[in-house]
Amino acid sequence: MGEDSLRDLPRWHRPKDLIAKCWLAVFQRPGVGIDLSGLEAAIPGLTPRVKWVNAPQVDVASNDLRRRVRAGESIRYLVPDNVRELINRYELY
């Protein structure tokens, strides 16, 4: 998930259940700051479940990708080719 999604995790449905069942691989996003201690206070046990992914920061949000697909705009170079092909094949979004 993107760092912005982690920031919003307390507003998700049953976030405590989510972190009890999985690790969260989190990509940093340009311009997004995280108050991890505040998130930990809201969702106890979160911090050890977060694994930061060391990757180039990309300013692409999933909601923008879905909007582009619905509008018939290209998402080439924004997602891997095999992901783009699956989205097209199964008419996702």
Side-chain angles (χ1 to χ4, degrees), residues 20 76 81:
R76 189 171 186 195
D81 288 341

Side-chain angles (χ1 to χ4, degrees), residues 60 62-76 78:
V60 176
S62 59
N63 61 350
D64 182 49
L65 294 174
R66 289 189 300 271
R67 181 199 59 76
R68 286 173 169 268
V69 170
R70 283 192 300 267
E73 298 174 10
S74 176
I75 58 170
R76 189 171 186 195
L78 297 175

Side-chain angles (χ1 to χ4, degrees), residues 30-52:
V32 176
I34 290 291
D35 174 13
L36 203 49
S37 61
L39 286 172
E40 178 67 30
I43 309 170
L46 172 68
T47 304
R49 305 301 286 180
V50 172
K51 301 300 177 193
W52 294 98

Side-chain angles (χ1 to χ4, degrees), residues 27 58 60 65 75-88:
F27 291 84
V58 179
V60 176
L65 294 174
I75 58 170
R76 189 171 186 195
Y77 307 118
L78 297 175
V79 298
D81 288 341
N82 58 345
V83 171
R84 186 172 43 86
E85 290 167 10
L86 285 172
I87 290 170
N88 290 335

